Amino acid sequence: MEIVVLTMKASVIEMFLVLLVTGIHSNKETTKKVKRPKFTVPQINCDVKAGKIINPEFVVKCPAGCQDPRYHVYGTDIYASYSSVCGAAVHSGVLDNSGGKILVRKVAGQSGYKGSYSNGVQSLSLPRWRESFIVSEAKPQKGVTYPSALTYSSSKSPAAKAGETTKAYQKPSVPGTTAQPVTLIRVLRTTTAEATHTTTLSKPSPSAGSSTSSPRPQPMGQRSQELELWSTTVYTSSPSSAGTNPGIQRRDSPGAAFQKPAGAYVSLGETDLWKPGSVLLNAGFVPKEELSTQSSEPVSQGDPSCKIDLSFLIDGSASIGKRRFRIQKQFLADVAQALHIGPAGPLMGVVQYGDNPATHFNLKTHVSSRDLKTAIEKITQRGGLSNVGRAISFVTKNFFSKVNGNRGGAPNVAVVIVDGWPTDKVEEASRLARESGINIFFITIEGAVENEKQYVIEPNFANKAVCRTNGFYSLNVQSWFSLHKTVQPLVKRVCDTERLACSKTCFNSADIGFVIDGSSSVGTSNFRTVLQFVANLSKEFEISDTDTRIGAVQYTYEQRLEFGFDDYNTKPDILNAIKRVGYWSGGTSTGAAINYALEQLFKKSKPNKRKLMILITDGRSYDDVRIPAMVAHHKGVITYAIGVAWAAQDELEVIATHPAKDHSFFVDEFDNLYKSVPKIIQNICTEFNSQPRN
């Protein structure tokens, strides 16, 4: 019996060992067969925005050509998720325009995004956005698994364009419950969805229609086609899950229901902040900002290629009538839409004139085309005469001020709309406007015919008013009913900032070179007085690298460049540089000094700048001044000669540009130099403004 038992035990042990060996061998075979899948980097197009991709961290490959301005980028270093992923990569310097692989990581939304120009891409500013991302070189971190297929927040993902498939995320399990897959189905005009055992995102039929992405944010107030068609979204869990409840429904709009799965920690009220692992995002839910028609898009920053401060002077006189006044308002609204109004582009205000002008809104009142159009619709007609001249004076004195939103660096443009002809004169008011740097355009509608010209107070009024008489600033419209055809021509002209000639004034468009006598007869004390005179003149001008620039040469028998046009580009720096000029002492070679200034100073003047030489001396030159002065005049250098004490007036007149009476000045002592500053400035501006306007 014992032998039988032992035999049975041996058989059992033998069988156990056979099974154990077989299992180990089978395990090895299985291990050999299971290979780690090869990671494939998904490709995306240049127009794909980070906000459309649900994955919190991923590696992608960008194509070439994403430097194109069509692909908008918002921010610097940290980018709003409304940005093009690849455009941001080029802006940050991670990629060049030839494309390549990048690593993208989502981060929290910022309270503000600063625009900048970098690597050929102009990023835009944005007040705030719900989600951000950063880009870096595609160096995957150890232990981190990156998706080979991206998950998009809309049912029709851009992945299709790039030839990839869209993967659905599995819902994370909650401790203490049975993890069940969650079904997300968009249903057309239905309120239920059948649960399935896999996480899916159903695709709409081709007939349903979908909105294609656009580089420009969709205007607020327009309801997206996708939102209208796919109006019902239901979240539910599998009916077979233990302890399932019917869920909690929340209706944000008619026909839309959100059903919370049992045991799932979902906060529907917090979808405007990005959180890693958010259940709603992982399920393919389109965040509220992506679908909302009221708050989803960034506020438009405007068209930066048309950065102008624009005033419309509209005709509210009684003669225009209500119907034509409505046409005028529609014209304004169309222009506002075409301009792409915004803080980084054009800003626009409206003044209505009749007997007296009045501002409806200034440059900073409305900073978007949509708001501007709404405000224009509310304008009511004032009545009265057509006092255009009075309106232009009003705009010159009041409209283009800092308190009204004038930005200083943007050209000032005034567009005057007049029905027929003005009832007052415009020439003097327009001259003052031009001298203030305002570019005046005239739109004359249904102008005086031959038998009406006897009633026109100021013949040829438009040419007397506009910035230049070359036809660029005047638009004649035969009928109010064809005014709409003027929208595009006008927008094209006012945005052509290179041709806005009246933006240049006598204060912001010159290269001014001071040539200062430092001879022994001047003396240290008087030399300081001369430097104060130079500083007083310089203070009157708008100084920057794009406005007026200042340079200085001191001379005796010899000459030296104290500072050139490119050395300082702010007024404080210029004034400090003038203070630091040291007195030299020596003889008086004025002719050589003029030649030196032409070669060392004015040779580096910009082609579009007026060249002004202001020479100060206290005595007769030891050398000839005639030939150097002629050379200066021939080269277009406008020369002002300032003589003190023993200076020879005949020599001053030779040096000065013709007519000498406007360009040469004499004072009997150094302490009286300051008295000539206003007259010199006045003559500089009078000469500038007397240039031909054609």
Side-chain angles (χ1 to χ4, degrees), residues 288-522:
K288 183 170 66 176
E289 285 83 359
E290 296 291 332
L291 293 181
S292 170
T293 60
Q294 293 301 318
S295 60
S296 68
E297 299 89 7
V299 176
S300 171
Q301 295 298 301
D303 181 4
S305 66
C306 182
K307 188 177 179 180
I308 59 171
D309 289 343
L310 172 63
S311 171
F312 261 95
L313 283 70
I314 63 172
D315 193 340
S317 61
S319 63
I320 193 174
K322 291 183 178 180
R323 184 180 184 188
R324 288 183 289 186
F325 190 77
R326 285 197 300 270
I327 293 172
Q328 185 176 213
K329 291 203 302 180
Q330 183 59 52
F331 173 76
L332 285 188
D334 292 343
V335 170
Q337 183 65 46
L339 281 173
H340 302 300
I341 301 295
L347 294 178
M348 177 175 154
V350 173
V351 172
Q352 183 182 171
Y353 66 87
D355 290 331
N356 294 296
T359 302
H360 282 284
F361 40 86
N362 61 34
L363 295 167
K364 65 182 182 181
T365 309
H366 304 291
V367 292
S368 72
S369 295
R370 185 190 63 177
D371 291 347
L372 202 56
K373 288 165 68 178
T374 302
I376 289 167
E377 181 58 34
K378 296 176 182 177
I379 294 175
T380 56
Q381 189 175 358
R382 293 175 62 85
L385 300 174
S386 296
N387 289 332
V388 177
R390 187 174 294 178
I392 293 172
S393 293
F394 173 85
V395 166
T396 303
K397 293 174 185 176
N398 302 292
F399 189 88
F400 292 107
S401 62
K402 190 173 183 180
V403 71
N404 286 332
N406 188 38
R407 292 172 287 183
N412 293 341
V413 179
V415 178
V416 182
I417 304 176
V418 59
D419 173 45
W421 56 88
T423 53
D424 64 349
K425 292 188 177 182
V426 302
E427 185 173 14
E428 181 62 16
S430 300
R431 182 185 66 80
L432 292 173
R434 291 193 301 272
E435 290 179 6
S436 300
I438 301 173
N439 297 272
I440 299 180
F441 287 74
F442 249 67
I443 301 177
T444 306
I445 307 166
E446 298 180 2
V449 294
E450 197 59 38
N451 63 347
E452 293 175 326
K453 289 182 179 179
Q454 57 181 318
Y455 304 114
V456 178
I457 293 175
E458 191 176 34
N460 204 24
F461 61 87
N463 274 347
K464 292 176 181 177
V466 293
C467 175
R468 294 288 186 269
T469 57
N470 55 9
F472 183 78
Y473 296 85
S474 300
L475 291 159
N476 294 306
V477 182
Q478 298 301 314
S479 166
W480 277 95
F481 301 105
S482 58
L483 180 60
H484 65 278
K485 297 177 182 177
T486 313
V487 172
Q488 289 303 326
L490 177 66
V491 168
K492 185 177 180 180
R493 294 186 194 191
V494 298
C495 288
D496 191 355
T497 54
E498 291 298 317
R499 294 188 65 180
L500 297 180
C502 287
S503 299
K504 297 177 181 178
T505 71
C506 57
F507 298 109
N508 67 9
S509 59
D511 281 342
I512 302 175
F514 290 96
V515 181
I516 306 166
D517 185 348
S519 61
S520 303
S521 58
V522 175

Side-chain angles (χ1 to χ4, degrees), residues 602-620:
F602 288 99
K603 198 169 186 179
K604 297 177 182 178
S605 182
K606 292 183 178 179
N608 62 337
K609 298 286 186 183
R610 294 169 67 239
K611 303 173 185 65
L612 303 181
M613 181 191 294
I614 300 176
L615 185 144
I616 307 114
T617 182
D618 79 329
R620 185 175 290 277

Side-chain angles (χ1 to χ4, degrees), residues 505-540:
T505 71
C506 57
F507 298 109
N508 67 9
S509 59
D511 281 342
I512 302 175
F514 290 96
V515 181
I516 306 166
D517 185 348
S519 61
S520 303
S521 58
V522 175
T524 304
S525 177
N526 288 334
F527 188 77
R528 305 317 301 177
T529 304
V530 170
L531 292 183
Q532 186 58 54
F533 168 74
V534 171
N536 289 343
L537 280 171
S538 300
K539 285 177 186 175
E540 299 294 324

